[in-house]
Amino acid sequence: MIMDGNGRWARERGKERVYGHFEGVESVRACTETAVEAGVEYLSLFAFSEENWGRPEAEVTTLMELMASSMINERDTFMANGIRFRVLGNLSRLSEKLRAAIDEMEKATSGNTRLTLIIFLSYSGKWDIMQAAKRLAADYAGREDEMAGLDISAFDKYLVTAGVPDPDLIVRTSGEQRISNYLLWQSAYSEFYFTDILWPDFRRDQFLAAIEAYAGRDRRYGKVK
Ligand code: FPP
């Protein structure tokens, strides 16, 4: 999910942008419930990009606080519904307090198997590819000759999404039709679904409509059926 349009949703109602983010959290909750109901195994939410650090400080602070409080508030729901919670991104940029809250939630929910809910926080696709390349190079220092034999799956292991399947479907709300530095490497064969609906209005019915559209897609992965 590329959750877009919170600011516009609020502005349309003559309210501050952050009000849209608060309503956006309700959509996160609705979509998580719908994912569990529909048997979706992985739900990934692009909550904050590396570029989003450039937003006004007050908005960044509110978003971070919202993320921390939502996470803590949902603990019982996660446990009751078998939801494994993960946060992926450049976590070194987060406050120690938020990192500790994430750590605790990840540990508490690590045994849950029904749905993996991944929040991409301080994440960007180019950053991910770059950090993977650096870590791979460091691992192979002194044995560079072995690098020629590496394949795609060897590189996959260095991305922060290691072990997570590539997204089948990428949904973007609010009418924008771009990837905005989300899962660049991992979206090579993802299906895309764009809707004009703003994120705070994207709830159960809208998610089910996206799943239905996806079910009608013909995925060939560059091959002939
Ligand atoms: C995009 O709308 C939305 C964001 C950058 C933030 C999304 C975050 C949340 C909904 C909170 C997430 C909470 C949890 C628990 C994961 P925008 O501000 O870019 O809207 P605009 O394009 O209309 O300005």
Side-chain angles (χ1 to χ4, degrees):
M1 299 286 179
I2 304 180
M3 313 182 284
D4 200 7
N6 292 348
R8 275 165 284 167
W9 189 93
R11 286 287 177 220
E12 279 174 8
R13 286 156 181 82
K15 309 227 177 174
E16 294 291 325
R17 294 172 49 80
V18 294
Y19 183 70
H21 298 317
F22 292 135
E23 272 305 306
V25 173
E26 293 309 312
S27 293
V28 168
R29 188 171 291 127
C31 286
T32 306
E33 279 172 17
T34 308
V36 170
E37 177 197 331
V40 169
E41 291 176 41
Y42 288 85
L43 178 64
S44 300
L45 307 170
F46 197 14
F48 196 87
S49 70
E50 280 278 83
E51 292 80 7
N52 285 154
W53 288 110
R55 290 194 175 199
E57 201 184 319
E59 184 173 342
V60 171
T61 308
T62 307
L63 272 170
M64 290 299 156
E65 281 170 1
L66 195 57
M67 231 90 69
S69 61
S70 310
M71 206 179 316
I72 292 158
N73 291 341
E74 297 306 324
R75 190 191 175 115
D76 292 348
T77 317
F78 290 161
M79 296 315 288
N81 292 285
I83 299 169
R84 179 178 183 196
F85 179 81
R86 295 190 67 191
V87 178
L88 300 179
N90 187 3
L91 306 187
S92 66
R93 294 186 76 173
L94 305 181
S95 72
E96 223 163 279
K97 196 172 151 215
L98 184 54
R99 276 207 306 258
I102 291 168
D103 209 45
E104 205 209 310
M105 281 297 286
E106 287 192 332
K107 283 204 182 92
T109 63
S110 64
N112 294 342
T113 55
R114 205 160 165 201
L115 167 75
T116 301
L117 176 67
I118 307 176
I119 310 292
F120 282 87
L121 196 51
S122 194
Y123 180 85
S124 283
K126 285 192 179 185
W127 165 82
D128 194 6
I129 294 166
M130 198 61 205
Q131 67 79 28
K134 285 182 188 166
R135 291 199 298 128
L136 183 145
D139 272 3
Y140 282 83
R143 43 190 190 107
E144 284 80 3
D145 49 327
E146 290 175 38
M147 286 172 85
L150 292 176
D151 60 8
I152 302 271
S153 68
F155 192 76
D156 269 330
K157 294 188 182 78
Y158 286 90
L159 295 163
V160 295
T161 50
V164 174
D166 288 344
D168 288 314
L169 175 67
I170 295 186
V171 172
R172 183 169 191 150
T173 56
S174 90
E176 312 293 354
Q177 301 194 2
R178 53 178 176 265
I179 186 108
S180 294
N181 215 351
Y182 191 31
L183 297 163
L184 297 181
W185 170 280
Q186 300 87 338
S187 65
Y189 274 102
S190 299
E191 295 293 324
F192 284 83
Y193 179 85
F194 298 108
T195 170
D196 288 340
I197 295 164
L198 304 176
W199 179 253
D201 291 326
F202 194 87
R203 304 276 164 101
R204 182 177 183 275
D205 289 352
Q206 291 73 24
F207 189 8
L208 290 177
I211 293 173
E212 199 174 314
Y214 169 77
R217 301 283 175 90
D218 181 19
R219 303 185 76 188
R220 293 188 299 278
Y221 300 92
K223 301 186 178 75
V224 177
K225 267 240 163 103

